[in-house]
Amino acid sequence: MTTDAVIWHDVECAAYDLDLTLWRELAERGGGPILDIGAGTGRVALDLARRGHEVTALDADPDLVHELGARARELGLRVRTVAVDARSFELGQEFALAIAPMQVVQLLGGQRGRRAALQCIRRHLRDGGVFAAALADPFEGIPAGEAVPPMPDIREEDGWVYASTPVAVRREDATAAIDRHRQSVSPTGDISEWVATIQLDLVTPAELEAEAADAGFVARQRGWIPESLEWTGSTVVVLEAV
């Protein structure tokens, strides 16, 4: 049975593909193996595995990890899956490339959480390996109080229709609080709706690079993922393990 965690992750994340070209390029340059941090249901991990890369997918939510593994088996792909916190893991393996797509590093509970994750990631990268993390600022270039939420995300599955609409973005201390109006409509027309809030740490690329330097990384040229009508753009911080 598909869990709520899987359903809403797919509704709000699965359709995003603007970053895939960048992760593919990094994978081709770095070789393998690859560690996908905050892999969710496998949006990026499965894409890279299809292209012949050796991928380990890590996520803190066991429901998402279970679904990722099931999808990999259905597709005949070999993806190692691990349900573990990005701030405290030990996999007994070194990687050539670690990636954190879709603002995963902004969901770690502030600077302390990011520093713990950076130390874990560094221990799992070979010297010369690369860690790349996407960062977004929903307020960038927008005057305070004038942030306009993007369009709703909609998904249909087994006769159910799920919609998630960002309805407010507000600054709370060092985070951006993003309120999403979630609505599910059953095949018989019954409607359930509520508001879910996501707390996104506000951290600049320069701040992340400085934190990473303390963990044994040097900053390399940043990447950029373009914005669209539905999605904000992202800066990708690229860090080399030294």
Side-chain angles (χ1 to χ4, degrees), residues 19 32 48 52 55 61 67 74 76 89-90 121 123 142 150 157 170 173 177-179 184 190 203 210 219 230 236 240:
D19 60 344
L48 296 179
V55 182
D61 190 317
E67 181 67 19
E74 184 177 343
F89 63 93
E90 182 50 65
I121 294 163
R123 290 197 301 270
I142 301 175
E157 185 173 333
R170 62 188 184 280
D173 297 325
I178 303 172
D179 292 332
S184 61
D190 295 326
V203 55
E230 296 84 13
V236 177
E240 181 180 345

Side-chain angles (χ1 to χ4, degrees), residues 108-166:
L108 298 174
Q111 185 183 87
R112 183 175 180 179
R114 290 194 301 274
R115 286 184 179 275
L118 286 165
Q119 291 168 1
C120 280
I121 294 163
R122 177 61 188 90
R123 290 197 301 270
H124 287 79
L125 281 177
R126 63 185 59 157
D127 289 347
V130 168
F131 172 47
L135 297 177
D137 181 352
F139 302 107
E140 186 175 10
I142 301 175
E146 296 183 17
V148 178
M151 299 294 291
D153 301 306
I154 299 174
R155 189 178 182 90
E156 184 174 356
E157 185 173 333
D158 297 328
W160 286 74
V161 177
Y162 302 94
S164 176
T165 307

Side-chain angles (χ1 to χ4, degrees), residues 17 24 35 45 47 54 81 113 117 174 199-200 226:
D17 61 3
R24 291 168 185 168
L35 177 62
D47 180 82
E54 179 185 346
T81 57
Q199 299 287 146
L200 199 67

